[in-house]
């Protein structure tokens, strides 16, 4: 049984690694592609980037609970494969886009099938024990980390030959990933743990309401929401901020994001296995969120390129908090409802990805336009730091008096 679980974790790790590498490939060149299509400047391009993220996240918010519930009924494997196929089709649209409208169409298609994270986390929950659940969720983070080492660096280098080349490579990777999963990825949800499909539980609001059944989950929902809302400051504006503030090229952006991936991989793939047993889940959440907040505030006031690299250390060390929080939430839910839970959490994440990119890129565009009352390219990072600090306070209030959670 132990060897089967180890093999399954390896399968899901490789699947997510290829998936995330494809995503990472396109990040350094997105600003350039948008600028090319709209014939505008970096501030104007940032606003379009926020609305593109809005289109993707909006569709994912609507459909992730449906796919999560389908995975509880029919298994994780078919849902994961369909989502990977959708992502490959999205990249083809982006690679061929003759106008900004095509980018929006591609993002809508990707959002419709954007269940790879939902299903992967449910998959991990299926094969984990209470003792190793946080560490296994950390492997998901490690896959993201390694993917973001390879993807952005390769994407930045490929971007030197044209802003569309990384999209073609990303499409190939996603379709190869789908084929790989079809042949080697086993099903993780046993027949006896499956449940009947219920439309009432397969919509975003219904799924969010289901989270109220579990007191620990309900108490941490706002904290969870603010963590991912804050993270959008980095995800949505890193490329635009570094271009505006330091005149970075796609190659330099790719290298910086590769370092982010390396640090995340070290923290979530290695350090978390040492730190989490020592601190426990509660303290890991507290320490992680505090470090996240510090990192964001430091980014906001960075005035030299080297500072961004140094300030990545506390920010990425904050990654010990996420898996611990997810372990706490997952531990309160029965095995046959993990897909629904992860669908609900993904809906929350998608909700932040609907609000966050538009909020953060609009803030960036406002404080970087020529007529801005004050030039402050780091405004989005500063707001993210505030959100993360509030999340820490709320998490402490929710967990401090709960003696059933360590």
């Amino acid at each position: 049984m132990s060897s089967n679980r180890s093999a399954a974790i390896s399968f899901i790790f490789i699947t997510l690694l290829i998936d995330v590498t494809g995503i990472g490939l396109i990040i350094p060149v997105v600003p350039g592609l948008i600028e090319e299509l709209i014939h505008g400047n970096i501030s104007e391009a940032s606003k379009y980037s926020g609305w593109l993220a809005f289109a993707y996240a909006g569709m994912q918010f609507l459909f992730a609970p449906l796919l999560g519930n389908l995975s509880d009924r029919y298994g994780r494997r078919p849902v994961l494969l369909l989502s990977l196929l959708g992502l490959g089709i999205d990249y083809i649209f982006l690679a061929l886009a003759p106008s900004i409208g095509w980018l929006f169409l591609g993002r809508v298609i990707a959002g419709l099938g954007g269940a790879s994270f939902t299903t992967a986390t449910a998959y991990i929950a299926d094969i984990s024990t209470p003792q190793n659940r946080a560490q296994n969720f950390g492997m998901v983070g490690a896959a993201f980390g390694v993917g973001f080492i390879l993807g952005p660096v390769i994407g930045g280098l490929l971007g030197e030959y044209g802003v569309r080349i990384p999209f073609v490579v990303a499409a190939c990777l996603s379709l190869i990933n789908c084929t790989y999963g079809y042949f080697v990825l086993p099903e993780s949800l046993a027949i006896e743990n499956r449940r009947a499909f219920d439309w009432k539980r397969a919509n975003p609001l219904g799924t969010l309401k289901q989270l109220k059944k579990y007191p620990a989950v309900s108490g941490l929902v706002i904290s969870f929401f603010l963590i991912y809302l804050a993270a959008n400051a980095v995800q949505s504006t890193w490329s635009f901020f570094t271009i505006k503030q330091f005149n970075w090229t796609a190659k330099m952006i790719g290298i910086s994001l590769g370092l982010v991936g390396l640090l995340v991989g070290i923290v979530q793939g290695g350090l978390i296995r040492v730190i989490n047993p020592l601190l426990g889940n509660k303290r890991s959440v507290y320490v992680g969120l505090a470090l996240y907040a510090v990192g964001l505030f430091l980014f906001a006031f960075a005035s030299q390129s080297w500072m961004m690299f140094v300030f990545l250390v506390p920010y990425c060390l904050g990654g010990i908090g996420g898996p611990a929080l997810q372990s706490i939430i997952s531990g309160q839910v029965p095995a046959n409802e993990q897909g629904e839970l992860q669908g609900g959490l993904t809906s929350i994440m998608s909700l932040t990805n609907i609000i966050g990119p538009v909020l953060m890129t609009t803030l960036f565009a406002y404080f970087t336009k020529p007529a801005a009352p004050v030039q402050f390219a780091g405004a989005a990072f500063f707001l993210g730091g505030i959100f993360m600090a509030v999340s820490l306070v709320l998490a402490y209030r929710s967990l401090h008096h709960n003696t059933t959670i360590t």
Side-chain angles (χ1 to χ4, degrees), residues 116-184:
S116 58
F117 180 78
T118 304
T119 313
T121 49
Y123 193 109
I124 292 294
D126 291 339
I127 61 177
S128 298
T129 65
Q131 292 74 29
N132 66 12
R133 186 178 286 115
Q135 291 92 328
N136 287 344
F137 277 127
M139 288 303 295
V140 175
F144 274 69
V146 175
F148 274 112
I149 295 171
L150 301 175
V153 173
I154 297 171
L157 294 172
L158 291 173
E160 298 289 304
Y161 301 97
V163 294
R164 296 176 187 267
I165 300 299
F167 294 96
V168 175
V169 176
C172 293
L173 280 178
S174 293
L175 296 176
I176 290 170
N177 191 13
C178 182
T179 304
Y180 165 82
Y182 179 81
F183 287 105
V184 303

Side-chain angles (χ1 to χ4, degrees), residues 267-347:
V267 171
Q268 299 204 4
L271 285 181
I272 193 172
R273 294 178 176 271
V274 177
I275 295 174
N276 184 267
L278 289 176
L279 296 181
N281 283 331
K282 274 191 193 178
R283 292 190 185 92
S284 292
V285 170
Y286 303 153
V287 173
L289 296 187
L291 288 169
Y292 268 146
V294 169
L296 285 164
F297 285 128
L298 290 173
F299 289 149
F301 295 100
S303 58
Q304 301 290 331
S305 286
W306 64 265
M307 293 180 179
M308 299 300 287
F309 291 95
V310 174
F311 298 160
L312 280 173
V313 175
Y315 180 77
C316 291
L317 283 172
I320 66 173
L325 181 62
Q326 198 158 10
S327 177
I328 290 171
I329 295 173
S330 178
Q332 309 301 307
V333 177
N336 66 347
E337 295 183 6
Q338 287 293 332
E340 179 181 53
L341 169 68
Q342 301 303 333
L345 295 181
T346 300
S347 290

Side-chain angles (χ1 to χ4, degrees), residues 9 17 41 47 67 94 96 105 111 113 119 130 133 158 191 216 225 229 236 239 344 375 378 380 385:
I9 291 173
L17 174 61
N41 60 35
K47 289 190 288 186
L67 296 173
L94 300 183
L96 301 175
L105 179 59
T119 313
R133 186 178 286 115
L158 291 173
I191 297 294
F225 174 84
L229 186 61
S236 301
S239 297
Q375 289 288 315

Side-chain angles (χ1 to χ4, degrees), residues 125-267:
D126 291 339
I127 61 177
S128 298
T129 65
Q131 292 74 29
N132 66 12
R133 186 178 286 115
Q135 291 92 328
N136 287 344
F137 277 127
M139 288 303 295
V140 175
F144 274 69
V146 175
F148 274 112
I149 295 171
L150 301 175
V153 173
I154 297 171
L157 294 172
L158 291 173
E160 298 289 304
Y161 301 97
V163 294
R164 296 176 187 267
I165 300 299
F167 294 96
V168 175
V169 176
C172 293
L173 280 178
S174 293
L175 296 176
I176 290 170
N177 191 13
C178 182
T179 304
Y180 165 82
Y182 179 81
F183 287 105
V184 303
L185 188 67
E187 178 56 63
S188 64
L189 186 63
I191 297 294
E192 61 270 19
N193 287 333
R194 300 183 187 186
R195 63 173 176 83
F197 181 83
D198 183 355
W199 278 105
K200 292 182 180 179
R201 299 169 70 172
N203 65 81
L205 298 180
T207 301
L208 292 175
K209 288 179 181 178
Q210 290 296 319
L211 296 177
K212 294 181 180 180
K213 296 190 299 184
Y214 313 103
V217 170
S218 297
L220 293 171
V221 162
I222 298 177
S223 178
F224 189 86
F225 174 84
L226 288 173
I227 291 169
Y228 282 92
L229 186 61
N232 271 284
V234 175
Q235 296 166 8
S236 301
T237 68
W238 179 273
S239 297
F240 296 98
F241 173 83
T242 53
I243 291 171
K244 179 70 175 179
Q245 192 82 337
F246 310 120
N247 201 30
W248 281 9
T249 62
K251 181 179 178 180
M252 190 63 176
I253 293 169
I255 291 171
S256 70
L257 292 174
L259 179 61
V260 173
L262 176 62
L263 292 174
V264 169
I266 291 171
V267 171

